[in-house]
């Protein structure tokens, strides 16, 4: 919430900074200048006028007015068919178009004495950046994958399994005299054990 509250004035800032108030003539105001028309020419040369700027003409009602006129009417101070006319001071005029603008006072010979102003207005700088054109990434074509069978290939086991140890089943020779002889049995038993170990 704090972020949104902070960003609202910042978002409004470019529009506010783009509009400048110009007090015509400065401390002189909009009156008959003692130095002639050069007074307003000098003042205007130190200003930078942009579309949407404001011109403030400070004058006394009934003694002065301000009319915007064409270039053809400006030179001879012709007040007929003005572009606009403000009779109440102070008059605030918005500069809506770029180019040269001409202002005069229509009272008596005020314009001929020097109460006239010419200004050049520039286009307003865009407060919003141009939209960027989205860039579509190129399509990358990959080579097709080789088709493989999902069935696992069984590799035969080539290793020779160990053969189980043979079971020697032999019976000792029958005794010759009806009773087994220990000395006859011992070599035969060792022979059987030895054969078993050799085969395993």
């Amino acid at each position: 919430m704090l972020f949104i509250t902070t960003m609202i004035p910042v978002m409004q800032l470019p529009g506010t900074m783009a509009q400048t108030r110009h007090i015509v003539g400065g401390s002189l105001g909009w009156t008959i200048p003692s130095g002639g028309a050069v007074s307003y020419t000098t003042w205007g040369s130190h200003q930078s006028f942009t579309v949407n700027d404001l011109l403030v003409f400070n004058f006394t009602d009934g003694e002065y007015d301000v009319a915007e006129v064409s270039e053809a009417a400006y030179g001879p101070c012709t007040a007929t068919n003005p572009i606009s006319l403000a009779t109440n001071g102070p008059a605030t005029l918005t500069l809506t178009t770029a180019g040269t603008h001409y202002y005069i006072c229509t009272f008596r010979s005020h314009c001929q004495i020097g109460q006239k102003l010419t200004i050049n207005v520039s286009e307003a700088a865009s407060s919003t950046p141009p939209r960027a054109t989205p860039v579509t990434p190129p399509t990358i074509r990959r080579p097709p994958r080789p088709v493989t069978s999902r069935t696992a290939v069984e590799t035969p086991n080539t290793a020779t399994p160990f053969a189980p140890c043979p079971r020697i089943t032999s019976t000792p020779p029958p005794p010759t005299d009806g009773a087994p002889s220990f000395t006859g049995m011992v070599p035969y038993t060792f022979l059987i054990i030895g054969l078993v170990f050799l085969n395993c």
Side-chain angles (χ1 to χ4, degrees), residues 5 8-9 14 17 23 29 36 43-44 46 51 68 70 87-88 93 106 115-116 120 127 129 133 187 193:
T5 307
I8 289 174
M17 291 184 65
I23 309 299
W43 173 84
H46 293 91
V51 171
E68 182 175 1
S70 65
T87 57
N88 296 323
L93 307 181
T106 65
Q115 193 175 0
K116 58 195 304 185
N120 292 313
S127 59
T133 305
I193 294 171

Side-chain angles (χ1 to χ4, degrees), residues 36-162:
V38 69
S39 300
Y40 289 113
T41 302
T42 303
W43 173 84
S45 66
H46 293 91
Q47 307 293 315
S48 179
F49 303 100
T50 309
V51 171
N52 295 327
D53 283 0
L54 303 175
L55 285 182
V56 181
F57 292 84
N58 288 323
F59 59 87
T60 305
D61 295 355
E63 295 183 11
Y64 307 97
D65 62 11
V66 57
E68 182 175 1
V69 296
S70 65
E71 181 181 6
Y74 181 78
C77 293
T78 304
T80 56
N81 299 321
I83 297 170
S84 67
L85 177 64
T87 57
N88 296 323
T92 301
L93 307 181
T94 303
L95 300 174
T96 56
T97 58
T100 307
H101 293 255
Y102 305 91
Y103 302 93
I104 65 172
C105 179
T106 65
F107 274 66
R108 298 179 290 276
S109 59
H110 291 190
C111 175
Q112 288 84 351
I113 298 171
Q115 193 175 0
K116 58 195 304 185
L117 170 68
T118 304
I119 62 171
N120 292 313
V121 181
S122 303
E123 290 286 351
S126 177
S127 59
T128 56
R131 291 183 180 180
T133 305
V135 178
T136 305
T139 304
I140 300 174
R141 299 193 178 196
R142 298 183 180 179
R145 295 182 179 179
V147 178
T148 57
S149 174
R150 294 189 179 183
T151 306
V153 179
E154 295 183 0
T155 304
N157 188 2
T158 57
T160 305
F162 289 103

